[in-house]
Amino acid sequence: MEQQNYQYQDDSVFVIQEGSVSKKFFANVFLWMFVALSVSTAAAIFTNQIPGIQSLIRDEATLKPTILGYIATFAPLGLVLLMGAGFGRLSFNTLLGVFILFSLLLGVSLSSILIFYQLGSVVACFVAAAGIFGIMAFLGYTTEVDLSKFGPILMVGVIGLVIASVVNMFIGSSQFDYIMSFFGVAIFTALTAYDVQKIKRIGLGLEENGQQIGSNDSKKLAIMAALSLYLDFINIFLFLLRIFGSRK
């Protein structure tokens, strides 16, 4: 899945001191991200371990996706677009439901990883992705450098990755895919710091405007922010797996 860039508010730098509202908002964002990762992980393990479930989404002989497999693969992208386009119209409960469904379907889609890659390398790449994500999140939160100017550049990089991936679907070059994976890790690593700083600014904006964490808008913003970080993490993990993963 590719990163979606949602502009929640102006990218101007806030200089007010961070208060309780901002910190609670930031904590809620990471809480929802953790929930999404937990749902995806559980769905991937369940789909891979329960007999007969994996055969519903992937042909056992050819290992190619079935119709349900293609639905599970492309439905999460549609749900991301739905969340972005319907942010202003959807209620918090509806948005949360779509977010959980997105996490569930993506986990089902990613279950095939355990078919093609050795479990040890999957775990190692997941831990490495968590480490990279954690370091960049810390840097994005603590740095005083304005990262907003890098946003357009990073979005161009994401679009470039998408176009290159589509082209490689026809070329089928494993070497080209390998090279793209390094760019993918670099782009989404940088996006992590960028998104974390943007989320911090959103929290500061809520603080400045006197909004409470329990308000409908703030809760919806937390879900969308969690989605951005979730996509950053998943993409780092997947690109690392392409580079370092040991196939069966």
Side-chain angles (χ1 to χ4, degrees):
M1 298 297 297
E2 306 297 341
Q3 172 72 24
Q4 303 294 316
N5 184 31
Y6 299 99
Q7 294 295 334
Y8 303 115
Q9 69 174 66
D10 192 342
D11 282 330
S12 58
V13 179
F14 292 97
V15 294
I16 62 175
Q17 184 177 5
E18 187 178 16
S20 60
V21 171
S22 178
K23 291 179 180 178
K24 288 180 181 178
F25 175 78
F26 199 81
N28 284 345
V29 170
F30 274 86
L31 173 62
W32 286 122
M33 178 192 168
F34 176 78
V35 169
L37 283 174
S38 299
V39 170
S40 295
T41 302
I45 294 175
F46 178 84
T47 303
N48 187 265
Q49 295 297 322
I50 302 301
I53 299 295
Q54 185 63 234
S55 62
L56 294 176
I57 64 173
R58 193 170 292 276
D59 186 270
E60 294 182 352
T62 63
L63 295 181
K64 293 182 178 181
T66 63
I67 294 177
L68 288 177
Y70 280 113
I71 293 175
T73 299
F74 292 104
L77 176 59
L79 293 176
V80 169
L81 296 175
L82 173 63
M83 293 173 69
F87 176 77
R89 298 186 299 272
L90 298 176
S91 66
F92 167 73
N93 289 333
T94 302
L95 192 68
L96 177 59
V98 175
F99 180 61
I100 297 300
L101 179 60
F102 158 81
S103 306
L104 178 65
L105 290 177
L106 189 59
V108 172
S109 177
L110 295 178
S111 65
S112 60
I113 286 176
L114 298 176
I115 296 177
F116 297 107
Y117 292 94
Q118 297 179 7
L119 179 60
S121 66
V122 172
V123 174
C125 289
F126 188 90
V127 172
I132 293 172
F133 181 89
I135 292 172
M136 297 309 295
F138 175 79
L139 291 176
Y141 189 84
T142 58
T143 184
E144 296 181 359
V145 177
D146 181 12
L147 301 179
S148 62
K149 57 188 175 183
F150 298 107
I153 300 175
L154 293 173
M155 287 305 104
V156 169
V158 171
I159 294 173
L161 280 176
V162 173
I163 295 175
S165 297
V166 173
V167 171
N168 199 43
M169 288 176 61
F170 298 96
I171 298 176
S173 172
S174 58
Q175 184 176 7
F176 184 56
D177 182 71
Y178 183 74
I179 295 173
M180 278 198 309
S181 297
F182 283 96
F183 284 102
V185 171
I187 290 171
F188 284 99
T189 296
L191 267 173
T192 299
Y194 168 80
D195 284 336
V196 167
Q197 185 179 82
K198 184 172 67 175
I199 291 167
K200 180 180 179 181
R201 292 175 181 176
I202 293 172
L204 291 172
L206 295 173
E207 186 92 44
E208 186 180 63
N209 295 327
Q211 296 191 39
Q212 298 300 316
I213 292 303
S215 67
N216 191 59
D217 287 344
S218 66
K219 292 191 295 184
K220 289 165 63 176
L221 283 171
I223 293 296
M224 296 304 294
L227 175 64
S228 293
L229 294 184
Y230 176 91
L231 292 173
D232 290 338
F233 177 84
I234 287 296
N235 277 286
I236 292 173
F237 166 63
L238 292 177
F239 282 120
L240 284 177
L241 195 60
R242 290 184 186 180
I243 299 171
F244 302 108
S246 298
R247 290 184 172 270
K248 291 182 178 179

